[in-house]
């Protein structure tokens, strides 16, 4: 979370009188490339949105023509510049609007921008100021339309956007998984007043009610009662207060509970009821707490009444009245649970304050069809959800004057659900929620901190011809370490904290400082070495009986999976023993003849030994049995995982020396797809695949350059089409990140096989094994006879 700051760069004409500084270009980023602006100005906060093109480095793989060149690597990976689209959202107090607009003007060099979309009450109040400062025409948009557009956008595109607040649970924040269908729902937008909107589809919504008692009431009455003029200071006072000093409770009237009516003694019978009879002064904190309870209870009751009236079970709360404040969220939740007996769910939003700004931006971007794309939150450039409760956050800083930021990257393809998920609405990709498991959280945060030096070393080594790489790597180290420190104190900052989100955040930070593929050199070397042993490995397999071969193939996949530079136990061995080989890996690890499957979908893992000597022989066996195979690999780099671009080249090389693989490609029985992911983990809710078609044995891709995009751990739309067309009836998921950290409990509608080697001693202990134990989990959907079981087998 960025602190609110002095804009003290030499290019800015104004400064802000605050003690903590942060370079303004870390807040208003890429302004020189801004193409479109939108602004939402409320009573106290301004929310600015803009679209920019971002130039950053990407890894591109290019194969060499082996027919004409000798003694050169199989392929090369170069770092090149590429332009992608990004959305920026910044929130700041209206008190600083002139300074912020001045800074934007000073750095807004793109003269193509002529109009700024504006919404909110301040779009009228500050129209003249905005036009004068920025030299842009203000085009006002309907506030309610913008609000709904923004809400739909975040619910669709930001995983763990919505959450339930449970004050007395181990983890107060319980995040909801992204649902395939977000409609219908009730949106209760709490600004100065309250608007209640029934949303039935993207463009069909109706304001069905509201109230004049909202955020403005809390602020106004709070100022009169406490003489405190700042909204956030009122919330701070409320956090410290005891409402029972001011409110009259049921037990104050009846001496206890009112059992026949189901009223407990601690229920508020009359807000501020004691202030009329008690002859004493009340503290500011107690009055603020009582006031916050009164207004939050009122809003909660109104919301549940409208939800019941319109038969809606989901109620989202937007606006910026709530601000992640525990007292407010608990009171609203309690009120709704009390009046609906749990039939209606109160849901809060991580980016509640941005809805109007996002909607205004989308209105201005309709000609670009932004809804045809999927968007992903960029953790490197986004602030996290922060509690304002002093006792919940040791790193707490004053909220007044805070810059809050959200950045989202446009993904080049649309993401959809994998059709093979048994129940997409209940699918949770992550095996362990570190938000709730404090011991696991501390362990994994420690692991990522310990691994940081190694990642920095690899990042610098991946760019030997760039003298400034060491400086950028140090900046990466500082930023990622700060993210880890933030997550230690605020594990809920970006939704549910998982091993997957820690990995994704690291990838985002690496890309932020132009390290798209730190393990590129390692992957190239391991691929070249493994290819030399491929034919020998296949020959030895062919000499075995059927039963022996099946066991050897499985052992081969698992042994190959040991070669994972993302696991410290393995990287330590590989660093110290460069001769560590495939046969040694087999020694570290100590089916039935049913009809063949029609099509197997195989999510692969690491480069080198894993893919070439482990997976491809396994695939070869499936092809020989008559099973079609779809190999799904990462779209972009992550650790030493094989990418789709690399796999295309490797498969072409293997096909040149293996007629089984060659025939599989030529007959379209072996298909390569990119998963859309740039993570060692795998989220099956959203998929996007691009197919690679092999054309002939003589094909060379020397002219082809394949970009390794940076995408979140989600999947590509084309993959879903392939799965349906091929009638996939077997899914194989390989590797610790994909099969253990994620998808260990995933239920699929077809048979599935999850294989991994546990390369972390703590995780092995949790699963009942030890280091280099094996997980081999064969699952059959309900209704089919079981052919396998889950196992953690000690080495």
């Amino acid at each position: 979370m960025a602190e609110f700051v002095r804009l003290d760069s030499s290019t800015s004409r104004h400064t802000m009188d605050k003690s903590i500084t942060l370079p303004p270009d870390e807040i208003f980023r890429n302004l020189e490339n801004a193409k479109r602006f939108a602004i939402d100005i409320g009573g106290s906060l301004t929310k600015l949105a803009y679209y920019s093109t971002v130039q950053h480095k990407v890894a591109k793989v290019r194969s060499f023509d082996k027919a004409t060149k000798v003694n050169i690597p199989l392929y090369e990976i170069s770092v090149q510049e590429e332009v992608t689209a990004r959305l920026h959202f910044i929130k700041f107090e209206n008190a600083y609007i002139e300074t912020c607009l001045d800074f934007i003007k000073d750095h807004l060099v793109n003269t193509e921008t002529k109009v700024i979309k504006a919404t909110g009450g301040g779009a009228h109040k500050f129209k003249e100021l905005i036009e004068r400062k920025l030299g842009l025409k203000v085009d006002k948009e309907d506030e309610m339309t913008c609000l709904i557009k923004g809400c739909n956008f975040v619910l669709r595109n930001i995983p763990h956007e919505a959450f339930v607040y449970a004050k007395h649970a181990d983890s107060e924040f319980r995040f909801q998984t992204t649902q395939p269908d977000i409609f219908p729902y009730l949106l209760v937008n709490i600004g100065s007043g309250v608007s209640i909107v029934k949303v039935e589809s993207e463009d069909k919504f109706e304001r069905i009610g509201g109230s004049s008692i909202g955020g403005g009431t809390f602020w106004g009455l709070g100022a009169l009662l406490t003489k405190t003029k700042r909204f956030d200071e009122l919330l701070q006072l409320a956090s410290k207060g005891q409402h029972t000093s001011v409110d009259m409770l049921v037990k104050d009237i009846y001496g206890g509970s009112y059992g026949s009516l189901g009223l407990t003694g601690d229920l508020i019978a009359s807000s501020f009821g004691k202030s009329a009879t008690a002859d004493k002064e009340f503290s500011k904190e107690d009055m603020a707490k009582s006031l916050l309870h009164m207004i939050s209870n009122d809003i909660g009751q109104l919301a549940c009444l409208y939800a019941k009236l319109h038969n809606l079970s989901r109620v989202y709360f937007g606006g910026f009245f709530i601000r992640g404040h525990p007292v407010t969220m608990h009171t609203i939740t309690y009120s709704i649970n009390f009046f609906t007996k749990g039939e209606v769910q109160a849901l809060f939003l991580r980016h509640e304050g941005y809805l109007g700004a996002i909607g205004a931006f989308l209105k201005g971007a309709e000609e670009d069809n932004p809804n045809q794309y999927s968007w992903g939150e960029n953790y490197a450039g986004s602030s996290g959800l922060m509690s304002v409760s002093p006792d919940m956050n040791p790193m707490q800083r004053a909220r007044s004057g805070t810059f809050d930021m959200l950045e989202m990257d446009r993904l080049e393809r649309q993401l959809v659900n994998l059709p093979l998920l048994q129940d997409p609405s209940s699918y949770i990709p992550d095996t362990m929620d570190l938000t709730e498991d404090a011991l696991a959280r501390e362990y994994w945060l420690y692991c990522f901190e310990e691994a940081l030096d190694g990642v920095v070393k690899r990042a610098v080594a991946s760019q030997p011809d760039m003298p400034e790489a060491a400086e950028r790597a140090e900046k990466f180290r500082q930023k990622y370490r700060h993210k880890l420190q933030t997550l230690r104190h605020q594990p809920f900052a970006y939704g549910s904290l998982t091993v997957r989100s820690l990995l994704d955040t690291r990838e985002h930070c690496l890309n932020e400082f132009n390290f798209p593929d730190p393990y590129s050199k390692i992957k190239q070397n391991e691929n070249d070495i493994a290819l030399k042993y491929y034919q020998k490995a296949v020959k030895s397999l062919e000499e075995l009986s059927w039963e022996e071969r099946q066991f050897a193939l499985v052992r081969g996949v698992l042994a190959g999976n040991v070669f994972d530079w993302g696991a410290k136990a393995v990287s330590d061995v590989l660093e110290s023993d460069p001769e560590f080989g495939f046969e040694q890996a087999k020694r570290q690890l100590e089916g039935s003849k049913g009809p063949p499957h029609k099509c197997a979908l195989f999510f692969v893992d690491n480069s080198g030994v894993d893919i070439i000597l482990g997976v491809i022989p396994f695939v070869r066996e499936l092809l020989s049995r008559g099973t079609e195979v779809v190999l799904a690999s990462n779209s972009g780099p992550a650790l030493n995982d094989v990418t789709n671009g690399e796999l295309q080249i490797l498969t072409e090389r293997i096909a040149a020396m293996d007629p089984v693989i060659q025939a599989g490609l030529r007959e379209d029985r072996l298909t390569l797809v990119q998963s859309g992911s740039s993570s060692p983990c795998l989220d099956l809710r959203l998929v996007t695949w691009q197919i690679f078609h092999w054309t002939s044995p003589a094909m060379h891709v020397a002219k082809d350059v394949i970009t390794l995009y940076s995408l979140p751990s989600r999947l590509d739309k084309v993959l879903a089409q392939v799965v349906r067309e091929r009638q996939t009836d077997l899914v194989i998921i390989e590797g610790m990140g994909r099969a253990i950290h994620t998808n260990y409990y995933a239920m699929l509608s077809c048979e599935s096989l999850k294989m991994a080697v546990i390369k972390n001693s703590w995780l092995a202990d949790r699963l009942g094994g030890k280091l280099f134990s094996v997980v081999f989990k064969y699952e059959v959907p309900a209704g089919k006879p079981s052919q396998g079981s889950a196992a953690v087998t000690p080495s």
Side-chain angles (χ1 to χ4, degrees), residues 156 506 522 634 647:
R156 280 206 179 97
R506 187 169 69 186
I522 289 174
N634 269 14
L647 186 55

Side-chain angles (χ1 to χ4, degrees), residues 342-513:
E343 294 177 2
V344 174
Q345 192 172 41
L347 293 157
F348 304 96
L349 302 169
R350 283 204 291 130
H351 301 102
E352 58 183 0
Y354 288 124
L355 304 186
I358 293 172
F361 171 82
L362 293 173
K363 284 290 288 183
E366 285 176 342
E367 62 269 26
D368 294 337
N369 298 317
N371 284 327
Q372 77 179 10
Y373 300 101
S374 292
W375 300 79
E377 181 175 5
N378 186 316
Y379 297 132
S382 297
S383 305
L385 178 68
M386 260 199 166
S387 167
V388 295
S389 175
D391 58 349
M392 285 181 63
N393 180 14
M395 295 175 67
Q396 183 61 46
R397 45 88 181 114
R399 292 213 28 124
S400 58
T402 299
F403 272 119
D404 187 42
M405 297 176 291
L406 165 65
E407 288 188 354
M408 299 191 71
D409 292 324
R410 191 180 79 183
L411 312 183
E412 296 306 311
R413 292 168 300 278
Q414 219 172 5
L415 306 181
V416 298
N417 284 304
L418 177 67
L420 298 174
L421 282 175
Q422 197 171 87
D423 181 10
S425 63
S426 64
Y427 168 73
I428 299 174
D430 301 291
T431 304
M432 192 180 303
D433 187 343
L434 306 183
T435 321
E436 298 182 357
D437 191 330
L439 288 176
R441 176 170 71 247
E442 186 54 42
Y443 173 77
W444 285 109
L445 287 170
Y446 168 79
C447 277
F448 279 87
E449 286 177 340
E450 283 289 290
L452 193 49
D453 287 344
V455 177
V456 169
K457 175 185 172 183
R458 292 293 163 202
V460 175
S462 71
Q463 299 178 2
D465 300 326
M466 298 184 182
E468 82 291 352
E471 182 182 350
R472 284 187 283 112
E474 184 57 35
K475 290 180 178 178
F476 153 73
R477 182 206 304 272
Q478 293 172 8
K479 185 153 196 172
Y480 188 59
R481 179 175 285 144
H482 175 73
K483 292 285 183 184
L484 292 175
Q485 290 169 350
T486 298
L487 289 167
R488 176 169 275 111
H489 297 291
Q490 298 150 214
F492 48 80
Y494 299 101
S496 291
L497 181 63
T498 63
V499 173
R500 176 170 60 98
S501 66
L502 288 170
L503 286 163
D504 288 349
T505 302
R506 187 169 69 186
E507 293 300 317
H508 289 181
C509 289
L510 281 167
N511 283 312
E512 174 84 4
F513 295 102

Side-chain angles (χ1 to χ4, degrees), residues 596-649:
H597 292 87
K598 179 168 179 33
C599 178
L601 168 60
F602 199 138
F603 289 96
V604 300
D605 194 10
N606 304 305
S607 293
V609 168
D610 190 353
I611 186 69
I612 295 169
L613 301 183
V615 171
I616 296 297
F618 192 94
V619 167
R620 191 178 187 274
E621 182 77 7
L622 290 173
L623 291 170
S624 298
R625 285 173 53 111
T627 300
E628 296 179 7
V629 179
V630 177
L631 284 181
S633 52
N634 269 14
S635 297
L639 298 174
N640 66 314
D641 292 359
V642 66
T643 64
N644 182 254
E646 293 160 346
L647 186 55
Q648 290 179 20
I649 295 167

Side-chain angles (χ1 to χ4, degrees), residues 413-420 599-603 629-633 635 671-677 682-691 714-728 731:
R413 292 168 300 278
Q414 219 172 5
L415 306 181
V416 298
N417 284 304
L418 177 67
L420 298 174
C599 178
L601 168 60
F602 199 138
F603 289 96
V629 179
V630 177
L631 284 181
S633 52
S635 297
T671 306
L672 310 185
V673 298
Q674 59 175 313
S675 66
S677 174
L682 184 63
D683 184 347
L684 296 174
R685 287 171 301 188
L686 298 159
V687 295
T688 173
W689 304 7
Q690 199 168 68
I691 307 173
R714 301 188 284 175
L715 303 177
D716 189 302
K717 185 177 182 179
V718 180
L719 174 56
Q721 298 170 354
V722 176
V723 166
R724 291 191 184 97
E725 291 169 0
R726 302 286 172 109
Q727 298 177 33
T728 299
V731 173

Side-chain angles (χ1 to χ4, degrees), residues 13 142 224 342 344 399 418 432 521 549 684 711 771:
R13 297 195 300 263
D142 176 69
L224 290 173
V344 174
R399 292 213 28 124
L418 177 67
M432 192 180 303
K521 304 297 182 185
R549 188 166 69 251
L684 296 174
L711 300 172
L771 192 64

Side-chain angles (χ1 to χ4, degrees), residues 534-598:
Y534 176 78
Q535 287 176 302
K536 180 181 177 182
V538 168
K539 186 174 185 297
S540 66
L541 286 167
E542 289 178 334
E543 293 172 351
L544 300 175
S545 67
W546 189 90
E547 288 81 3
E548 291 173 328
R549 188 166 69 251
Q550 307 315 300
F551 183 66
L553 285 165
V554 170
R555 287 181 65 217
V557 173
L558 292 166
N561 193 242
V562 170
F563 289 79
D564 183 354
W565 282 85
K568 191 174 188 302
V570 175
S571 63
D572 286 346
V573 172
L574 296 176
E575 289 275 15
S576 60
D577 183 8
E579 300 300 317
F580 184 71
F582 186 54
E583 293 304 318
Q584 288 173 277
K586 279 187 180 181
R587 289 194 294 272
Q588 278 275 28
L589 300 167
E590 285 298 49
S592 65
K593 271 190 178 180
H597 292 87
K598 179 168 179 33

